[in-house]
Amino acid sequence: MSDAGDDWLGRIAAYARGGAAAVSVLTEPSRFDGSLEHLREAAAVLAPLGVPAMRKDFLVDPYQILEARAAGAGGVLVILRMLPAGRIVELLDVAAEHGMFVLLEAFDAADLETARDLKASRALPRAGPTDREDLILIGVNCRDLQTLEVVQERFAELAPLLPAHCPAVAESGVASGLDARRMQLLGYRAALIGTALMARDEPAQLLREIFDATRTVQP
């Protein structure tokens, strides 16, 4: 997103108009050339379209949640294996206080066990019209951290371990309507799609293919 020659804001608007529920924006500067300014610019484009921006970074401190909110984000990604459970709870609490959703990213069974424990510890009575738990999503990333290869079999292996009553998100490896249909049949309710969308000259076409394929599957 740092290449001034690319109409990346136009692509973000195309994602939103194509039906994306949210758009993730990298803000990590040293390895991925991201920035909070990118997040601010993206959020400004998405807000009139009613689609939230999600800060995608290596978040380790509640202050980074506040930074994201100040930049206009509606949600953040938190990598489960990076942090102790107590710190994750702090991040979840700060996000909930500001009405932000959190995508908890898991890579294996141990990560999902942490997610289940976190959910159990936060099973509190409803305090108002919006349940704070509704703001928590669980993502399974099928990219191998060692080889960086996409291992789609991981979605099926980990699906039975997904915490109940938390929307599950398939991350990486969804590049077609057929992929999305397979994920839906496994119990995933959304997909985080990056490379496949960026590779399309008309990303809205891929979104249409995905929606058409998943619309035929009964819940």
Side-chain angles (χ1 to χ4, degrees):
M1 293 182 179
S2 62
D3 187 344
D6 290 337
D7 181 18
W8 67 274
L9 289 174
R11 291 187 69 86
I12 282 177
Y15 298 162
R17 294 191 180 99
V23 177
S24 66
V25 181
L26 280 163
T27 60
E28 199 285 324
S30 59
R31 294 178 58 188
F32 296 101
D33 200 25
S35 73
L36 283 170
E37 183 58 31
H38 291 158
L39 182 60
R40 275 189 286 270
E41 293 176 3
V45 169
L46 292 169
L49 300 173
V51 174
M54 180 183 77
R55 182 179 188 179
K56 189 177 182 183
D57 205 329
F58 302 110
L59 302 185
V60 297
D61 191 284
Y63 181 75
Q64 292 173 292
I65 306 288
L66 299 178
E67 284 183 328
R69 189 69 191 97
V76 295
L77 179 142
V78 173
I79 302 173
L80 283 162
R81 64 176 49 187
M82 282 187 59
L83 301 167
R87 177 49 59 94
I88 297 174
V89 168
E90 292 178 13
L91 298 179
L92 291 172
D93 286 344
V94 171
E97 288 170 7
H98 293 274
M100 301 171 70
F101 70 85
V102 178
L103 174 58
L104 293 174
E105 183 173 74
F107 287 88
D108 56 22
D111 290 341
L112 289 177
E113 183 177 0
T114 298
R116 289 196 303 274
D117 290 344
L118 285 167
K119 185 178 186 304
S121 70
R122 292 170 60 81
L124 303 175
R126 294 175 68 99
T130 300
D131 191 338
R132 288 156 70 111
E133 296 305 300
D134 292 343
L135 300 174
I136 300 176
L137 300 88
I138 306 296
V140 171
N141 194 328
C142 77
R143 190 176 297 279
D144 188 283
L145 289 178
Q146 303 301 320
T147 65
L148 298 183
E149 293 181 358
V150 170
V151 184
Q152 285 204 357
E153 293 79 8
R154 186 173 295 169
F155 289 128
E157 292 170 2
L158 296 180
L161 305 179
L162 291 166
H165 309 301
C166 279
V169 182
E171 301 181 45
S172 301
V174 177
S176 68
L178 181 61
D179 291 335
R181 178 186 175 91
R182 187 161 49 245
M183 295 305 101
Q184 189 178 34
L185 288 170
L186 288 171
Y188 295 90
R189 290 176 54 187
L192 182 61
I193 306 171
T195 303
L197 278 174
M198 291 187 290
R200 290 286 189 107
D201 291 334
E202 295 185 9
Q205 180 180 353
L206 174 57
L207 292 172
R208 284 194 297 272
E209 293 171 7
I210 288 172
F211 292 136
D212 287 345
T214 55
R215 201 172 288 124
T216 62
V217 179
Q218 297 299 318

